[in-house]
Every structure is written in C-alpha cells, then in structure tokens.
C-alpha cells in the first residue's frame, strides 16, 4: 500500500507528538539535576496538527531543494529551522488568542514574545535534518507499485 499524503501527515503528527513527549521528559530530567526519575513528558493535542502539517511542508521543501535546486545540507537545515520558528510562532499567536497556547518560553533565553526560543535552535536543526530521512523513507514506500517491470502471468 502506498503511503499517500494524508497518511504521511498523520504519521508525521504522531512522530512529532511522540518526539515532544520524549524531549520534554528528558529536558525535565536534566533540569532537575538528574533527580526526577519519573521521566514525565508532556504535549498538547495541538502539537499533533502542528507537527503533521509542518513536517509535510518540510517534506515538500526537501523535495523541491533536492530535485530542482541543489542546496547543501547545512543550508537546508537552517532554512528548515526558520520555517519551524515561523510555524511555531504563528500557531502560538493564534492559540494564545484563544487562551489555548500550551507552551510559554518567557523564562527561556532568547525568546520572542514567549512563543519561540532560539535556545532550541540546535534541537530543531537536528530534528529537521532527521525529518529528511523520515520523509525519504515514507516517500520510498509511496512509490507506485505499477512502476515495476514485473508482468502478470
């Protein structure tokens, strides 16, 4: 079965949701000076939609930059992070308007209105480049099975 665009968006959403829970549990563990062994992570259902759609956009950027232009990996990584920050900031503005924004980076260094923090740049950079691998894998599964040379007997 081919992995169509909607299924990829769904898988990207699940993947991002899971990654956020793992990240927050590890981050909280480190912030507790390695004392909180409960490893409680957290997220919001909004994150599922953010990651699903945002990662699909990264996939499309990757395909464009891979097939039509050649941008080196370090440049792609920076451009992905710019997209991530624009996406996170936009969602934050809308969610904050409805008093539904689940994150607040006001206490973090280099934050912008508490909606994004440049402190997470290295994490987003690595995650964005990992997204290329995940996208490549899912797109490989999405190849049309009719493209094979096998003939029915």
């Amino acid at each position: 079965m081919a992995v169509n665009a909607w299924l990829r968006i769904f898988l990207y959403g699940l993947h991002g949701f899971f990654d956020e829970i793992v990240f927050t549990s590890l981050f909280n563990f480190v912030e507790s000076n390695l004392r909180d062994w409960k490893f409680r992570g957290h997220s919001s259902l909004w994150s599922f939609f953010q990651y699903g759609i945002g990662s699909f956009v990264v996939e499309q950027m990757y395909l464009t930059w891979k097939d039509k232009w050649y941008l080196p990996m370090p440049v792609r990584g920076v451009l992905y992070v710019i997209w991530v920050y624009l996406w996170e900031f936009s969602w934050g503005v809308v969610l904050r308007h409805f008093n539904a924004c689940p994150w607040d980076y006001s206490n973090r260094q280099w934050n912008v209105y508490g909606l994004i923090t440049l402190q997470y740049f290295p994490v987003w950079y690595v995650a964005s480049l990992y997204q290329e691998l995940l996208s490549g894998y899912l797109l490989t599964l999405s190849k049309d099975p009719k493209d094979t040379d096998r003939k029915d007997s």
Side-chain angles (χ1 to χ4, degrees), residues 6-64:
W6 290 109
L7 183 54
R8 291 195 315 272
I9 290 170
F10 177 76
L11 293 172
Y12 293 147
L14 287 177
H15 191 271
F17 196 66
F18 172 77
D19 288 350
E20 184 167 281
I21 291 170
V22 170
F23 175 78
T24 55
S25 69
L26 293 173
F27 196 83
N28 292 339
F29 178 66
V30 171
E31 278 196 328
S32 75
N33 292 320
L34 313 180
R35 291 186 185 142
D36 184 3
W37 285 84
K38 294 175 186 154
F39 288 102
R40 290 186 194 158
H42 59 275
S43 188
S44 164
L45 191 54
W46 292 115
S47 297
F48 174 80
F49 300 105
Q50 275 181 274
Y51 287 118
I53 297 165
S55 296
F56 183 75
V57 171
V58 169
E59 171 194 288
Q60 298 305 303
M61 293 163 75
Y62 168 65
L63 290 174
T64 299

Side-chain angles (χ1 to χ4, degrees), residues 61-67 69-71 76 79-80:
M61 293 163 75
Y62 168 65
L63 290 174
T64 299
W65 295 338
K66 178 180 86 80
D67 294 338
W69 311 344
Y70 175 73
L71 290 177
R76 290 193 315 265
L79 293 174
Y80 294 146

Side-chain angles (χ1 to χ4, degrees), residues 27-148:
F27 196 83
N28 292 339
F29 178 66
V30 171
E31 278 196 328
S32 75
N33 292 320
L34 313 180
R35 291 186 185 142
D36 184 3
W37 285 84
K38 294 175 186 154
F39 288 102
R40 290 186 194 158
H42 59 275
S43 188
S44 164
L45 191 54
W46 292 115
S47 297
F48 174 80
F49 300 105
Q50 275 181 274
Y51 287 118
I53 297 165
S55 296
F56 183 75
V57 171
V58 169
E59 171 194 288
Q60 298 305 303
M61 293 163 75
Y62 168 65
L63 290 174
T64 299
W65 295 338
K66 178 180 86 80
D67 294 338
K68 296 182 180 163
W69 311 344
Y70 175 73
L71 290 177
M73 189 248 323
V75 174
R76 290 193 315 265
V78 170
L79 293 174
Y80 294 146
V81 175
I82 291 170
W83 160 249
V84 167
Y85 280 136
L86 289 171
W87 187 241
E88 184 178 30
F89 186 84
S90 299
W91 270 84
V93 167
V94 171
L95 291 173
R96 193 177 273 176
H97 177 74
F98 294 102
N99 196 30
C101 189
W103 68 91
D104 183 2
Y105 299 128
S106 297
N107 62 342
R108 301 272 177 230
Q109 293 181 32
W110 312 308
N111 78 80
V112 179
Y113 300 112
L115 296 175
I116 60 173
T117 175
L118 301 178
Q119 182 181 11
Y120 291 164
F121 183 92
V123 174
W124 285 124
Y125 186 84
V126 170
S128 295
L129 292 175
Y130 173 72
Q131 178 64 37
E132 282 189 357
L133 297 173
L134 181 60
S135 295
Y137 177 71
L138 289 177
L139 290 167
T140 299
L141 297 177
S142 300
K143 298 288 185 211
D144 187 355
K146 296 175 192 169
D147 291 341
T148 62

